Amino acid sequence: MFGAFVGTLMIDPGNALSSITETLMTVMTDEDVAWVIMVCGLMGSIIALLLKSGSSRAFASSMMRFTTSKPRALMGCWFMGIILFVDDYLNSLAVGTSMRQVTDRFKTSREMLAYVIDSTAAPISVLIPISTWAVFFGALMEKNGVAETGQGVFTYIKAIPFMFYPWVAVIMVPLFIWIIPSFGPMKKAEQRAEKTGQCIPPGAEHIDQEIGHLEDGARTNGTLWTFLLPMASLAFFTWWFDFDFLMGIFVTLGGMIVGFIGLKKLSAKQTFDNILSGFKSMLDALAVLVAAFVFNEVNTALGLADYVILTAQPLISAEMLPFIIFTIMGFVSFATGSNWGVFVIILPIVTVLGHNLDANMTLVVGATLSASTFGSHACFYSDATVLTAQASGCTPFQHAFTQLPYAALAGCIAAAGYLVLGHM
């Protein structure tokens, strides 16, 4: 919020306070922000019901029978992340809350758990074309003339092989689980967990206590099916309602209320009390997200994305365009925390540049989507970072700080790929 206030000072020094207030009101009444608040809050409600009914515990117990080592536990998270590809929010929240007990058993730091989950959230949703990302960016490409009417998703599919960053981010996870040793801040986090058994990083105890509060007095009659069926329902109904995750949540939550009360997993009072408690457990994460949306709104008013790309325009050639788009827009997305909004503004400029330079537009689209994924994955206050941290049991800063060297490595490999391919 301080950064947003500084931005409003730059725009209108005499009315900075009123400007930031108006910006906050604009954000809070925005349809997309309301969607995010409802999705996150109601996912908290679903998580609370799974915890209180003993369903999450039953799932963790079932997983523990098959996970005999730390690498297998982390690979289980990786596979779950791939399976729940429909939406990155679903991925982050569902896998984190369900796998914490499993990875804790093998002295895995919550930071490592968050890294594995985040690397299969946005990256997987980008690579599989039946997801919210494909629908959004397909429509955006049609609107800006990159694809013909009705061909947006097809154009998106053609660009998937050239989305280097998500490919590298996803493939790196098994390598770091099985072969490559941890490094940087992640190494210290892993050493803390392995030597002391303290999986939860210092300063993040309050997040775990929130979940512990929801688990107090949890029933013991939860089963594996009372966990798996809601997860399957979320994925199926999100797809059924044209990838509208909120509709998937509404249907799933309604089914859980009827099912848990009818099967006597929870009483009616326990069910509705935990729906409210679960929503409240997401308020810290939602506060960070609202602040990030305000910051992005101020950056949009400043014209940051337009300024950066137009400043670089004289230096751009057809061969360098994919590399420059990925590096510059990856930086802007990382700095602003906007992995979708920035590209609504910048895609028209990129389209004109690509056509004027006669560049390979499939490669340019791949670079654009890679930049968006990098911003979602690496930014300290992006929605993906905040929600993954909340679900994994660490703070957004702890998650982003330990993950940043890994994201930067993947980003350098992707940038090198665009540099080489652009000159071929």
Side-chain angles (χ1 to χ4, degrees):
M1 288 299 291
F2 177 74
F5 183 68
V6 171
T8 56
L9 282 174
M10 295 168 66
I11 297 168
D12 188 1
N15 298 295
L17 192 59
S18 61
S19 294
I20 194 70
T21 304
E22 289 173 9
T23 302
L24 181 58
M25 288 300 297
T26 300
V27 166
M28 292 303 295
T29 54
D30 183 83
E31 184 179 342
D32 292 333
V33 176
W35 184 91
V36 170
I37 291 171
M38 291 299 296
V39 162
C40 296
L42 292 176
M43 268 304 292
S45 299
I46 287 175
I47 290 165
L49 291 179
L50 292 174
L51 291 169
K52 199 70 171 183
S53 66
S55 301
S56 287
R57 187 177 297 171
F59 173 79
S61 298
S62 299
M63 287 293 294
M64 285 176 187
R65 290 202 294 268
F66 300 101
T67 51
T68 55
S69 65
K70 177 176 177 176
R72 286 192 177 188
L74 290 172
M75 285 301 294
C77 298
W78 188 70
F79 280 119
M80 279 187 69
I82 293 173
I83 292 168
L84 297 173
F85 61 83
V86 174
D87 187 85
D88 48 338
Y89 283 14
L90 168 62
N91 187 315
S92 296
L93 292 168
V95 180
T97 52
S98 60
M99 291 298 290
R100 288 194 297 190
Q101 293 180 40
V102 179
T103 55
D104 281 358
R105 179 187 177 191
F106 299 103
K107 296 182 178 180
T108 304
S109 68
R110 295 293 178 83
E111 295 95 323
M112 175 58 84
L113 172 63
Y115 163 66
V116 172
I117 293 169
D118 207 0
S119 297
T120 55
I124 286 293
S125 294
V126 167
L127 293 175
I128 298 179
I130 44 174
S131 68
T132 50
W133 282 68
V135 172
F136 176 80
F137 280 102
L140 197 60
M141 285 188 285
E142 289 182 28
K143 183 179 178 180
N144 287 280
V146 180
E148 295 179 8
T149 303
Q151 295 295 307
V153 173
F154 179 70
T155 304
Y156 182 98
I157 291 171
K158 288 199 297 183
I160 288 175
F162 303 103
M163 298 177 190
F164 296 153
Y165 181 82
W167 282 114
V168 174
V170 171
I171 292 168
M172 275 175 54
V173 173
L175 296 178
F176 280 109
I177 290 174
W178 293 102
I179 301 171
I180 305 173
S182 301
F183 63 90
M186 187 71 78
K187 182 178 180 180
K188 293 181 180 179
E190 284 291 272
Q191 288 175 340
R192 181 200 72 234
E194 290 170 1
K195 291 179 180 179
T196 68
Q198 185 183 354
C199 300
I200 305 165
E205 293 85 359
H206 66 285
I207 299 174
D208 211 61
Q209 286 167 4
E210 281 283 349
I211 299 298
H213 169 70
L214 294 174
E215 283 188 303
D216 286 344
R219 295 292 188 94
T220 57
N221 61 346
T223 67
L224 179 61
W225 288 109
T226 57
F227 179 87
L228 292 180
L229 286 176
M231 291 296 103
S233 172
L234 272 172
F236 174 77
F237 284 108
T238 297
W239 168 79
W240 181 264
F241 289 104
D242 295 326
F243 301 99
D244 188 338
F245 189 28
L246 183 57
M247 288 298 295
I249 289 175
F250 275 136
V251 174
T252 299
L253 186 58
M256 289 175 73
I257 292 170
V258 173
F260 281 18
I261 295 174
L263 295 171
K264 298 184 178 179
K265 300 294 180 184
L266 294 171
S267 68
K269 183 178 185 305
Q270 286 176 316
T271 299
F272 290 104
D273 283 351
N274 277 277
I275 288 172
L276 293 175
S277 296
F279 200 108
K280 286 192 291 185
S281 72
M282 298 299 294
L283 289 180
D284 285 352
L286 288 171
V288 176
L289 286 176
V290 168
F293 284 127
V294 171
F295 185 61
N296 179 56
E297 193 77 15
V298 172
N299 276 317
T300 301
L302 284 168
L304 175 64
D306 289 352
Y307 172 77
V308 170
I309 199 73
L310 291 173
T311 301
Q313 186 172 347
L315 308 173
I316 297 175
S317 64
E319 294 78 16
M320 291 294 291
L321 183 60
F323 170 78
I324 290 174
I325 288 296
F326 174 73
T327 51
I328 291 180
M329 295 317 301
F331 170 76
V332 171
S333 185
F334 169 79
T336 62
S338 173
N339 43 341
W340 282 17
V342 161
F343 292 90
V344 174
I345 300 166
I346 211 65
L347 193 59
I349 301 172
V350 171
T351 303
V352 172
L353 278 173
H355 288 312
N356 288 347
L357 295 170
D358 197 25
N360 182 338
M361 286 305 295
T362 303
L363 186 58
V364 170
V365 169
T368 304
L369 269 294
S370 281
S372 181
T373 312
F374 174 77
S376 171
H377 194 210
C379 179
F380 279 57
Y381 42 86
S382 73
D383 48 3
T385 297
V386 173
L387 295 178
T388 301
Q390 179 78 8
S392 303
C394 57
T395 67
F397 178 82
Q398 290 164 339
H399 165 40
F401 183 66
T402 53
Q403 177 177 262
L404 186 58
Y406 295 74
L409 176 60
C412 289
I413 295 170
Y418 289 118
L419 192 60
V420 171
L421 210 58
H423 286 84
M424 289 179 65

